[in-house]
Structure formats: C-alpha cells, structure tokens
Amino acid sequence: MIGVLVRLQWMLLKGRVVRSIRLLRQPKYLVGFIVGAGWMGLWVVRPLLKSKLHFESAPGNPFGMEFIPAIHQFAALAVTVALPLPWLLPWGRLGLPFRESELTMLLQAPLSRREVIQYGLLKSEVGVLLSGLILPLFVGLGGPGARLLMGCGTWILFEFWHLNGKWRALFNLRQTEIPAALARTRRLLLSIGLVGFYAVLLLALKPFVTQVGAALSGMDYRQVAASLTAVTWPPLLKALLTPAWWLTAPMFSGGGKAFVVAAVPMLLAIGVQREIVLRSKARFEESALEHATKKEAKKSPTRRFAKISSGARTKHPFELDRRGPPEVAVLWKNAMRVSRARWT
C-alpha cells in the first residue's frame, strides 16, 4: 500500500512539473524562467563546469581548509541555540498537514496508523531534499564532488531538524489530549530543563563573547578570519556544543571517508527520531482535517468573489437622505448587508 502512495506522490509531482512547463507558453512565466536560468547559469553552473571533480575544498580559496574548523564550531553554536528553542513554545505549525481529499482517502484505506504517519513524512521529504542539495550550490567550497558531499551533509541536518519539528508538534498535540495536570507537569519539567540549559550556555558564552569581540576589531577580513580561528573555546562550551558539532560534522567533512564516519551516527539518530514520530499517540486526524478545511475555504472561488463583492460595496456606498425616520435607515442598512442584488 505504501508503494501505491509513493506512486501517487510521484504522479502529483510530475503533474506539477508538467503544469509549470505548460505555463511557459505565457510571456510572463517565460521571461521569469529565462532570467532565473540565466542567473543560475552565470553564478552557479559556470563555476562548477570549470572546476574539476574532487572531494576536497579548493586550496586557493580564501576560506579554505584552515578556516573550516572555526566555521564548523560557529555552525554548531547556531544549531545549539536554535534547535531546542521551539520546544519552549506550546504552539506552532501543524505536525502532519494533509489535504481534505488525502484524509478522506487515507482514513478509508486499509492502512495502519504508522503507515498514515509515514505517508505524511514522505510528503515533505521532497522539499527537505531539494533544500539540502540546492544550498551548497551557493555557499559550498570546491568542485562538484565537495559540494555534493556538503549537500548530503546539509540534508542530514535539515532532515534531523525536520523530524524534530514533527516530534515537537505531535508532542504539543498530545498534551491537549492527556489529563490537564499531567500535561502541566510535563510542560513545566520541559521548560525548567530548557531554561537551565540556556542559562548554563549563556554562562559558558560570557568569556567566549569577550574573545570574539576582540577578534572582530580587525579591519581586513583575512585578519578577522585568522583571529576567529585562533579563538580558544571554553571546555564547558565545547561540551555543550558536542551534539550539534556531530550533527553538522557531515557538512564540513574533509573527504569521502571523513563524511562516512561523520554521517553514520547521524543517520542512526535520524532513524531513532523517525521511529519516535511514527510511534506517536497524538490524534492528529481531527486537527489535520480542521486545518485542511480552513485552508480549502480560504482558496475557494466563492470566498474570493464574496470578498471582492463586499469590497466593491464598501468602496461605493449608497447615500441616504439625512432626514427621515431612523427605522428606514436601519432597514436599509440590514438589507444592504444580506442582499447581493444590484439595487440600481
């Protein structure tokens, strides 16, 4: 059954691509496609074609191999700060968004709950994969091979982040289904743990920020980069950044072997987190159906035409004589609000 659903997603993606190609017959879409293709060819494709296929960073690059450890450490710092932060918020995006037609099909099909969740995760994999592979085309170092490895490492980071967001959304949904006292206890313990983690992180960052401020005082970017590379990271801060350092390690691996060594544990972590999402007990069906109904109502032609008609009547109101009984004005006002007929 999952194979049928995968084929359905492939046919939907194929239909979107065919529709986009057919839209090129219109001048506005054709001009935009030509400009975008020219820009990509000038800034991305042309340098890649000139470079050789190797899996190392370009030796002549100003931000070469000697600066990668510092960049890697700062990336780990950014991930450490940003990844747990949404868990402090009891609201957010829907965990598994489905269309109303998809829910009607999935809930009537002979599928288990695990397969429905797996299909929901499969829907968003295309966006995560494309984002992970496109980003290194603009910020990657070296030739096509090195950028491909960085793209795979970026996908690992984005996939872990994506599954973490799904886990958080289903966790928040589950708290609305369990007893209120238990939900408050869980939320309180989670908040205390995260606030304590950020307090320790800020304490460890205090001496490090002083060193970074002194390193940024240089005017030349090479001197600034060299100063940031020579900055000493406090042991407590390095210990707090270790999980994020391992998570971002595939992006900054120096070659094929280093990439495999760094990617294997993170792929296992992704598998564990995916299993946690698949085993979630949150009843996402009702919230997904409500979200899909609201989304379809916003896009319906009836709602759009009603909004246009209402806006037209608001811009061009009928004038009434100020003299006369107030009952006539009240009757006229209510008739204008409920009627769609043209009074002329």
Side-chain angles (χ1 to χ4, degrees):
M1 192 65 185
I2 290 296
V4 176
L5 297 178
V6 171
R7 178 174 174 79
L8 176 61
Q9 284 298 310
W10 166 252
M11 293 176 66
L12 290 175
L13 179 61
K14 181 180 178 181
R16 291 179 182 178
V17 173
V18 171
R19 180 177 178 272
S20 301
I21 294 175
R22 289 177 178 175
L23 287 176
L24 295 179
R25 292 181 293 184
Q26 302 181 25
K28 59 179 181 179
Y29 294 104
L30 181 60
V31 172
F33 173 76
I34 293 175
V35 173
W39 185 86
M40 288 289 294
L42 180 64
W43 294 101
V44 178
V45 179
R46 187 171 59 89
L48 287 178
L49 293 177
K50 289 184 177 181
S51 59
K52 297 180 180 180
L53 182 63
H54 54 83
F55 295 93
E56 306 290 341
S57 298
N61 197 292
F63 291 97
M65 293 296 295
E66 64 273 15
F67 300 126
I68 285 182
I71 299 174
H72 184 188
Q73 202 72 22
F74 278 103
L77 175 61
V79 172
T80 302
V81 174
L83 186 60
L85 188 60
W87 285 85
L88 286 171
L89 307 177
W91 62 84
R93 300 179 61 182
L94 192 65
L96 297 171
F98 291 101
R99 293 194 297 269
E100 191 172 358
S101 58
E102 288 179 334
L103 283 173
T104 304
M105 178 191 66
L106 292 173
L107 297 181
Q108 294 179 357
L111 294 174
S112 63
R113 173 185 175 84
R114 181 186 180 90
E115 290 173 336
V116 174
I117 298 177
Q118 192 170 357
Y119 175 75
L121 295 177
L122 180 66
K123 282 184 56 180
S124 53
E125 287 297 331
V126 177
V128 177
L129 180 61
L130 291 179
S131 301
L133 294 180
I134 288 177
L135 184 62
L137 294 178
F138 299 94
V139 299
L141 302 175
R147 299 195 184 206
L148 179 60
L149 289 182
M150 186 177 181
C152 295
T154 307
W155 170 79
I156 292 175
L157 173 62
F158 286 1
E159 180 66 16
F160 187 90
W161 204 308
H162 167 70
L163 291 174
N164 187 267
K166 298 296 184 185
W167 181 16
R168 170 188 165 272
L170 293 175
F171 173 82
N172 289 336
L173 182 60
R174 180 60 179 168
Q175 304 316 300
T176 62
E177 302 168 357
I178 61 178
L182 180 59
R184 285 194 297 268
T185 303
R186 288 183 177 181
R187 176 59 60 183
L188 181 61
L189 293 176
L190 178 62
S191 300
I192 291 175
L194 289 177
V195 170
F197 169 76
Y198 279 111
V200 175
L201 183 63
L202 290 176
L203 182 64
L205 275 173
K206 187 176 180 180
F208 175 74
V209 171
T210 305
Q211 298 184 48
V212 172
L216 293 178
S217 59
M219 300 299 294
D220 188 8
Y221 75 94
R222 290 180 179 272
Q223 296 178 358
V224 171
S227 300
L228 291 177
T229 306
V231 167
T232 303
W233 293 75
L236 178 59
L237 182 60
K238 292 186 69 174
L240 293 174
L241 300 185
T242 299
W245 190 91
W246 280 105
L247 182 58
T248 54
M251 296 176 57
F252 302 97
S253 57
K257 294 182 179 179
F259 174 82
V260 172
V261 172
V264 168
M266 289 301 101
L267 291 176
L268 293 177
I270 288 175
V272 171
Q273 193 166 216
R274 188 181 187 88
E275 189 65 25
I276 294 175
V277 174
L278 291 176
R279 291 176 178 267
S280 174
K281 297 181 180 180
R283 301 184 182 95
F284 61 89
E285 295 86 352
E286 296 180 0
S287 59
L289 181 60
E290 183 181 357
H291 176 78
T293 304
K294 291 181 179 180
K295 191 173 182 180
E296 292 294 333
K298 290 181 180 180
K299 295 182 178 180
S300 64
T302 305
R303 180 183 176 91
R304 183 165 57 90
F305 290 141
K307 185 176 180 180
I308 294 174
S309 178
S310 176
R313 289 198 300 269
T314 304
K315 292 180 181 178
H316 305 286
F318 291 95
E319 295 183 1
L320 295 177
D321 194 357
R322 296 183 180 180
R323 295 172 295 178
E327 293 83 3
V328 176
V330 174
L331 178 62
W332 182 270
K333 178 181 179 181
N334 286 278
M336 289 297 297
R337 292 184 63 183
V338 301
S339 176
R340 296 176 59 89
R342 299 182 60 182
W343 289 93
T344 55

